[in-house]
Amino acid sequence: MRDILKEIVDRRIADIKRLGEEFGFEIPNERTRPVNPFLKSKGVILEVKRASPSKGDIAPELDSAMTANEYAKAGASAISCLTETNYFKGTLGDLMKVCAAVDSYAASTGKKAPAVLRKDFLVSEKEIDVSYRAGADAVLLIARILEKDTMLAMARKAASYGMSVLIEVRKEEDLEKLSYVMQNADCSKIVCGVNSRDLKDFTIDTLIPAMMLNKIKALDGNARVIFESGILSPQAASRVAAMDFHGMLLGEAAARNPALASEYINAFKNTEPDSNGKFWIEYAGMIQKKKPLVKICGITNFQNALSAAVHGADILSFIMCSKSKRNIQPQKIREIKAELEKSLVAGKIKNVPRLAAVITETDSTEAKDAVKFAKEKVIDVLQVHGYDAAINFLNDKALCSIPHYCAVNVGSEDDIKKLDELFALGQPRVLVDALVPSMAGGTGERIASDLVQKITLKHKLLLAGGINPGNVRSIINDFSPELIDVSSGVEISPGTKDEEKISLLFKNCGTVSK
């Protein structure tokens, strides 16, 4: 498999041997501008970026100075300038132009200049010196490509100049390096970044930063953590802020449409942490401990809920839709939750599963009851089932702060495009279910395997539709779903589960409670 990161670093090291750390540019012997603080308060980093290995040309005619000026006007807290040439078409010349542009902006407006980050695949202390003399206020250090002692030496060198470092992490071994640097360098000059893009193959998973956030905070409770990559809409920027990130780095979206940059900035800066953001942080923690997660849908009575909980179900969901055969009255949900909590105290179950309410509309009586339950924490999360319902929900700002995820029925490749749209709107995960006309779920039908395979190439798989004890193992082996959602596959009749089927399901998917 192609390792893009290794290619970039190998070519860069060869270029340094041939051209030196200044890459043939005339860098001043002494720095000519003051060092600006880097992201001391909540803000957005906009990126001067012409191309990338995954997208090719993004803005090939981009003028770095003009773009930096636009970003400053838009309210960027910092500007990231790509200086890697082979794959991103940036140079040290761009860095110096960006620094001059923000200084000119500050001089002409009386406003504070955005800090300038040199974004590159730096490998030595000498490159910190070059970055300082070229005008950078901060530099990117990628933990994945640096040994911990090298990274520490580079962080210390930057701090000696008054510069900050943005240390980018993505995996557990990166955290070990970060911890080492934090313990031995000036933490006030360290900002932590988590890249949702895997630099090895350039795939995106926007929950990776959520997985890492609390782990970084555990190293330093005051750590400033930046969400990097994968933000494609102002709505998505709001979702990032809702998870309580200190900052956000916006690359492609800003470079393609600099005029829209202020919308992303305002969406991020004007959104406070909320319960939906907290849910996704918790979900990220869940999937690190266990795969696949198991959701039992269409619960209508306590005995079935208890059986699922005993066997280790992660989520139980209640259908709140009058058209469904599994529709449940609100008071019954309260009763089931109360009994589950009693069972926990009595030691009958180890945990109370997360409770979800499934809605297929946003304005029905049942949907309003579900929203009320979510606000009162009777349930933990809403499942907004159906593309149209999801779009209506996401367009209502009053609803977006409520813990939620969306579900889409998939019957063709056109339906996969609906998934893409929801991800672009900032949904970290979307549940997929089989498409059966006039039925939202619980159909017993499966999505065609070729469509499931195409989904897995683009997105993490949360799968519903036709899963039962007999086929669950092959589904897990074939598609490696992150979560499986089972309803009719463990039923005697709609809404009534079979305890033997529940037991066999957990046994066959390898998640039997110990």
Side-chain angles (χ1 to χ4, degrees):
M1 181 182 292
R2 183 186 182 193
D3 187 334
I4 300 174
L5 179 60
K6 186 176 185 304
E7 284 182 27
I8 294 171
V9 174
D10 287 348
R11 288 191 66 179
R12 194 166 188 287
I13 291 173
D15 288 343
I16 290 173
K17 288 180 179 179
R18 181 168 53 90
L19 299 170
E21 282 79 10
E22 297 185 358
F23 289 88
F25 284 85
E26 292 187 11
I27 309 298
N29 291 327
E30 301 290 337
R31 185 183 178 99
T32 59
R33 61 191 301 264
V35 177
N36 293 315
F38 180 66
L39 229 63
K40 287 294 185 183
S41 57
K42 177 180 176 179
V44 176
I45 308 168
L46 299 181
E47 197 153 80
V48 175
K49 181 177 185 179
R50 293 192 181 89
S52 79
S54 59
K55 298 295 179 70
D57 284 345
I58 294 171
E61 305 303 320
L62 175 147
D63 181 290
S64 51
M66 187 180 299
T67 302
N69 189 59
E70 287 189 61
Y71 287 171
K73 289 179 181 177
S77 297
I79 297 174
S80 167
C81 181
L82 264 300
T83 60
E84 196 281 334
T85 300
N86 297 314
Y87 295 82
F88 295 89
K89 299 185 178 180
T91 68
L92 281 166
D94 288 317
L95 177 64
M96 291 185 283
K97 289 178 182 178
V98 167
C99 291
V102 299
D103 289 346
S104 177
Y105 167 82
S108 63
T109 63
K111 296 180 180 180
K112 184 179 178 181
V116 178
L117 168 73
R118 181 186 180 187
K119 190 174 183 185
D120 208 327
F121 301 78
L122 307 183
V123 294
S124 72
E125 286 183 71
K126 290 182 179 179
E127 294 196 274
I128 304 299
D129 178 71
V130 171
S131 303
Y132 173 75
R133 289 188 285 115
D137 301 303
V139 292
L140 175 69
L141 303 182
I142 302 174
R144 194 163 173 176
I145 66 173
L146 297 169
E147 297 295 331
K148 65 178 184 179
D149 286 320
T150 301
M151 191 158 68
L152 175 59
M154 294 171 76
R156 284 176 168 173
K157 173 66 77 172
S160 73
Y161 288 136
M163 300 168 67
S164 297
V165 293
L166 174 59
I167 298 180
E168 181 177 293
V169 299
R170 201 173 190 276
K171 296 187 174 183
E172 292 293 329
E173 51 266 38
D174 297 338
L175 285 177
E176 294 176 12
K177 296 177 184 179
L178 174 63
S179 177
Y180 179 73
V181 175
M182 283 182 158
Q183 291 172 25
N184 294 284
D186 182 356
C187 281
S188 71
K189 297 297 184 183
I190 297 173
V191 177
C192 308
V194 187
N195 203 337
S196 63
R197 187 185 303 279
D198 187 338
L199 293 178
K200 182 175 181 179
D201 57 16
F202 274 63
T203 56
I204 290 279
D205 181 353
T206 56
L207 265 193
I208 293 294
M211 293 178 188
M212 302 295 279
L213 181 61
N214 285 341
K215 294 181 179 182
I216 295 172
K217 292 285 189 180
L219 300 178
D220 179 356
N222 296 316
R224 293 167 284 162
V225 187
I226 309 301
F227 185 109
E228 300 178 41
S229 303
I231 304 302
L232 300 177
S233 66
Q235 293 93 326
S238 291
R239 306 292 178 266
V240 170
M243 289 190 281
D244 201 16
F245 282 89
H246 178 81
M248 176 184 75
L249 190 150
L250 189 68
E252 177 187 343
R256 289 189 187 279
N257 296 290
L260 299 180
S262 61
E263 292 185 29
Y264 288 83
I265 293 171
N266 291 334
F268 179 81
K269 296 187 75 171
N270 294 333
T271 301
E272 296 297 321
D274 61 31
S275 56
N276 183 52
K278 182 180 179 182
F279 167 78
W280 284 111
I281 296 292
E282 291 176 352
Y283 177 86
M286 290 168 65
I287 61 177
Q288 292 179 88
K289 297 176 182 177
K290 173 186 172 185
K291 289 182 183 178
L293 301 181
V294 179
K295 173 177 175 285
I296 304 297
C297 187
I299 294 291
T300 61
N301 61 77
F302 167 66
Q303 192 56 46
N304 287 166
L306 178 63
S307 178
V310 165
H311 285 88
D314 301 284
I315 302 173
L316 303 179
S317 64
F318 307 100
I319 310 297
M320 300 186 74
C321 172
S322 61
K323 298 176 184 178
S324 172
K325 296 177 181 179
R326 301 172 181 85
N327 185 43
I328 186 171
Q329 294 303 311
Q331 184 56 33
K332 190 68 175 178
I333 297 175
R334 287 187 186 274
E335 292 171 3
I336 291 172
K337 179 176 182 177
E339 290 300 318
L340 285 171
E341 290 174 343
K342 289 179 183 178
S343 298
L344 178 66
V345 173
K348 295 180 181 180
I349 56 177
K350 293 181 179 180
N351 299 289
V352 175
R354 266 72 170 182
L355 303 181
V358 180
I359 61 174
T360 58
E361 304 168 285
T362 56
D363 57 358
S364 67
T365 299
E366 292 80 10
K368 291 176 181 177
D369 285 338
V371 168
K372 181 173 180 287
F373 271 20
K375 290 180 178 179
E376 294 176 354
K377 301 189 185 329
V378 176
I379 58 146
D380 300 295
V381 64
L382 295 175
Q383 176 179 314
V384 188
H385 202 106
Y387 171 76
D388 291 338
I391 293 298
N392 289 337
F393 187 95
L394 297 177
N395 283 334
D396 189 333
K397 291 184 178 180
L399 294 177
C400 285
S401 63
I402 297 171
H404 67 273
Y405 61 92
C406 300
V408 172
N409 298 95
V410 174
S412 69
E413 289 195 35
D414 285 340
D415 294 321
I416 297 177
K417 295 177 183 176
K418 295 176 182 177
L419 295 182
D420 296 339
E421 183 177 345
L422 292 174
F423 279 104
L425 290 173
Q427 296 304 295
R429 297 288 190 266
V430 177
L431 176 71
V432 294
D433 197 358
L435 177 64
V436 176
S438 77
M439 295 183 70
T443 66
E445 299 292 327
R446 289 182 61 180
I447 304 173
S449 294
D450 63 322
L451 292 178
V452 176
Q453 195 63 53
K454 287 177 180 177
I455 292 169
T456 63
L457 295 175
K458 303 174 74 175
H459 308 297
K460 297 295 182 180
L461 183 64
L462 280 61
L463 183 64
I467 303 173
N468 59 56
N471 63 22
V472 67
R473 174 46 53 189
S474 63
I475 288 172
I476 292 171
N477 289 340
D478 291 344
F479 304 116
S480 300
E482 185 174 277
L483 175 148
I484 56 170
D485 183 330
V486 185
S487 181
S488 63
V490 291
E491 286 184 334
I492 300 170
S493 61
T496 303
K497 311 303 183 189
D498 184 309
E499 293 192 25
E500 290 187 8
K501 289 182 179 179
I502 289 175
S503 177
L504 188 58
L505 175 83
F506 281 90
K507 179 180 179 181
N508 290 349
C509 71
T511 56
V512 179
S513 180
K514 301 295 184 184

